[in-house]
Amino acid sequence: MLTAAHLKLAIYFGPMLLIWLGYARLRAKRQRESQAVQEAAVKAGLTEPASLHPVINPNRCIGCGSCAHACPEANVLGIIGGKAYLIDPTHCIGHSACKVACPMDAISLVFGTEKRGLDIPHISPRFETNVPGLFIAGELGGMGLIRNAIEQGRQAMENVRTLDGIGKGSQLDVVIVGAGPAGFAASLAAMQHKLRFVTVEQESLGGTVAHYPRGKLVMTAPVQLPGVGKMKFTETTKEELLGFWEAVEKRTQIKLNYHERTEEITRGDQGFVVKTNRNTYQARAVLLAIGRRGTPRKLGVPGEEQTKVVYRLIDAEQYRGRHVLVVGGGDSALEAALSIADEPGTTVTLSYRSEAFSRAKEKNRVKVQAAQKAGRIQVLMKSNVKQITADQVDMEHEGQSLSLPNDDIIVCAGGILPTPFLKKIGIEVETKYGTA
Ligand SMILES: Cc1cc2nc3c(=O)[nH]c(=O)nc-3n(C[C@H](O)[C@H](O)[C@H](O)COP(=O)(O)OP(=O)(O)OC[C@H]3O[C@@H](n4cnc5c(N)ncnc54)[C@H](O)[C@@H]3O)c2cc1C
Ligand code: SF4
C-alpha cells in the first residue's frame, strides 16, 4: 500500500531519478555518435593524426568527458565504454585544450604514431636550424596553431636582426618563404625593423587558414602583430580573420609576392641563394614558414600551366554554368565535386585513377553515388588526364581515349611534403613515432 512515507520518498528522489535517467540516455546517445564517427574514420583509413595530438592513458582516464568538452573541434575526441578516444584523428589540429582540461593527467601530447612517423626539424630556441642563418617558424617546426605561428614568426625575425651582416652589402637581409600566419607576422616584423626583405608565397595570404571550410569557427588567443598592435580575436571565423589580415596588408602596404614558389635554397658566399619559379634572390638569412601541407601535387600533363587549373576549391559559386573537372579520390575531391554540382548549370566530372574511393569517408562516397545516380556528377574511375587545352580536356578512361568540354579543372591530389626539401638544404630532421 502507498503510504505518506512512500510519497515523500518519491517527491524527494523522483526528480533525481529522472535527471539521472536523462543523463544516462544522453551519455548513451553521445557514445553511439562517437562510435559512428570512429567507425567512419577507420573505414576510410583516416586514422593517423597530422601533427601534435593527444594519447590517452586508459588506466588513468575516468571517462568524465572534460577533454571532449574542452576540444574546440567538434567530434575529434569522444567517450566510448567509459574511456576517452581520439575518434577522428585526422581532424585533430593539436589545440592541446584536452590536456589542460583533464583532471586525471591522463593525456600526453605527442608527434607521430607507431605506424606513421612525423619529421620534425631541429630548431634552437632562437628558431635557427643547424644551418646557421636558416630559420624556421610556425607549424613546420612542429608547433601548430595560429597564435603560436604568429608569435614564432615575430620572434624569429627578432633573432634574424641580430645576425652579422644584416643591413650591410647589396644582398637582401632575409627571404621569408610562406605567407601563412607565421610568414605574415615575420614579414610585418621585418617591415617594422626596416629589414631588406622579400616574402614569397606560392598561393595567397593566410596559408592553411585560407583552406579552412567556409564559415569555419576559428579558436585562437590574442597575440601581438608586429608594428600593428594586438590581434584580439579569441573566437572568430575564417572569413573574419582573413578579412582582418587583408585589411592589415592594405593599411601597411606590405609587399608579399603571391604565386611565387621557392624551389631551391643553396648556401652562397655570405648567406643563401633562393631560387623561385620567377626569380633568384641572394640573402643573408632565410626564414622558412611553409607549414606542413607541402606543395600541391601536380598532374604533370601538357596544358596544366593554364590559369583554369587550380589545386583547391575556394568558392563553388564561381563555377556556375561551367564545365568542371575535379581530379582526385579523397574527401577534398569528393566534397569539391559535390559542392560544385549543387550550383546551377554546372556539368561536373569526377576523375580518379583507381577503381574505388577507398580513402574517402563513407558519407562522401554515399553522397557522390547519389549525385551520380541523379545525373548531377559524372564519375570516371580508372581514368587519367592526358592533355588540357583552352576549352577541352583529353583523358584516358579504362584504356579508351575521351575528350570532354572543359572550362575549369580542380586537382585535389594531395601535397608533396617538405621533408626532402629540408634535407636537401642540410637541415637535420628527426622522425618522431609517438613521442613528445
Ligand atoms: C582544418 C584546420 C582547422 C584549423 N583550425 C585552427 C583553429 O581553429 N585555431 C588555430 O589556432 N589553428 C587551427 N589550425 C592550425 C593552423 O591553421 C596552423 O597551425 C597555422 O596555419 C600554421 O601556420 P604557418 O604559417 O606555420 O603555416 P601555414 O598556415 O600552413 O602557411 C604556410 C604557407 O607557406 C606557403 N608555402 C609552402 N611551401 C612554399 C614554397 N615552397 N614556396 C612559397 N610558399 C610556400 C603555403 O602556400 C602557405 O601559404 C587548423 C588547421 C586545419 C588544417
Ligand atoms: S578529461 Fe581525462 S579523465 Fe576525463 S575523459 Fe578525458 S582523458 Fe579521461
Side-chain angles (χ1 to χ4, degrees), residues 209-228:
V209 178
H211 288 249
Y212 293 170
R214 196 193 297 188
K216 185 198 180 288
L217 183 71
V218 180
M219 305 295 288
T220 184
V223 61
Q224 202 71 23
L225 261 192
V228 174

Side-chain angles (χ1 to χ4, degrees), residues 73 93 95 137-139 144-146 149 177-183 200-204 206-209 212 216-219 260-262 289-293 295:
E73 304 303 308
I93 53 161
H95 277 287
E139 189 147 11
L145 300 180
I146 296 160
V177 188
V200 297
E201 163 56 59
Q202 65 187 5
E203 293 178 1
S204 55
T208 299
V209 178
Y212 293 170
K216 185 198 180 288
L217 183 71
V218 180
M219 305 295 288
E260 184 165 353
R261 189 178 54 257
T262 296
I290 59 177
R292 293 201 152 260
R293 280 181 312 110
T295 301

Side-chain angles (χ1 to χ4, degrees), residues 50 72-73 90-95 137-141 143-150 152 176-185 199-213 216-221 234 236 241 245 257-265 275-277 288-296 312 416 418 421:
E73 304 303 308
T90 56
H91 282 98
C92 175
I93 53 161
H95 277 287
E139 189 147 11
L140 179 66
M143 183 69 88
L145 300 180
I146 296 160
R147 187 197 175 282
N148 295 336
I150 289 179
Q152 290 188 9
I176 297 163
V177 188
F184 186 44
T199 301
V200 297
E201 163 56 59
Q202 65 187 5
E203 293 178 1
S204 55
L205 180 64
T208 299
V209 178
H211 288 249
Y212 293 170
K216 185 198 180 288
L217 183 71
V218 180
M219 305 295 288
T220 184
T234 49
T236 179
L241 188 57
W245 288 340
N257 295 358
Y258 296 127
H259 307 294
E260 184 165 353
R261 189 178 54 257
T262 296
E263 291 179 339
E264 195 179 24
I265 299 175
K275 279 201 179 128
T276 72
N277 56 337
L288 290 176
I290 59 177
R292 293 201 152 260
R293 280 181 312 110
T295 301
R312 66 172 158 138
I416 302 163
F421 179 65

Side-chain angles (χ1 to χ4, degrees), residues 364-434:
N364 282 330
R365 290 193 301 228
V366 169
K367 280 188 193 168
V368 165
Q369 259 175 13
Q372 189 182 6
K373 247 187 173 170
R376 287 176 28 237
I377 295 182
Q378 178 186 20
V379 179
L380 300 178
M381 304 307 288
K382 293 206 265 178
S383 66
N384 285 297
V385 175
K386 291 289 171 198
Q387 179 173 263
I388 302 163
T389 58
D391 54 3
Q392 190 169 293
V393 56
D394 299 333
M395 311 189 55
E396 185 191 87
H397 177 222
E398 296 185 340
Q400 305 283 322
S401 298
L402 171 79
S403 292
L404 298 172
N406 177 264
D407 300 313
D408 304 282
I409 300 184
I410 298 158
V411 182
C412 303
I416 302 163
L417 294 176
T419 305
F421 179 65
L422 300 184
K423 286 190 173 164
K424 204 170 161 207
I425 312 169
I427 297 173
E428 283 167 13
V429 171
E430 186 188 345
T431 308
K432 306 237 182 193
Y433 292 94

Side-chain angles (χ1 to χ4, degrees), residues 168-306:
K168 295 184 188 137
S170 58
Q171 64 180 358
L172 291 168
D173 292 324
V174 58
V175 171
I176 297 163
V177 188
F184 186 44
S187 306
L188 289 168
M191 189 181 194
Q192 183 189 24
H193 297 307
K194 301 194 169 46
L195 297 181
R196 295 165 302 166
F197 73 100
V198 165
T199 301
V200 297
E201 163 56 59
Q202 65 187 5
E203 293 178 1
S204 55
L205 180 64
T208 299
V209 178
H211 288 249
Y212 293 170
R214 196 193 297 188
K216 185 198 180 288
L217 183 71
V218 180
M219 305 295 288
T220 184
V223 61
Q224 202 71 23
L225 261 192
V228 174
K230 206 160 206 168
M231 191 181 99
K232 292 190 182 135
F233 299 108
T234 49
E235 208 178 294
T236 179
T237 59
K238 162 196 172 173
E239 288 74 15
E240 191 180 13
L241 188 57
L242 283 178
F244 174 75
W245 288 340
E246 278 158 13
V248 169
E249 182 188 18
K250 216 169 162 190
R251 196 167 72 234
T252 56
Q253 296 191 342
I254 192 164
K255 187 169 177 296
L256 308 168
N257 295 358
Y258 296 127
H259 307 294
E260 184 165 353
R261 189 178 54 257
T262 296
E263 291 179 339
E264 195 179 24
I265 299 175
T266 47
R267 292 189 220 199
D269 282 349
Q270 280 146 10
F272 299 91
V273 179
V274 180
K275 279 201 179 128
T276 72
N277 56 337
R278 294 215 204 131
N279 225 323
T280 299
Y281 305 99
Q282 317 261 352
R284 169 68 185 91
V286 173
L287 173 71
L288 290 176
I290 59 177
R292 293 201 152 260
R293 280 181 312 110
T295 301
R297 187 165 280 119
K298 302 207 161 179
L299 299 174
V301 298
E304 190 172 6
E305 66 291 344
Q306 295 172 71

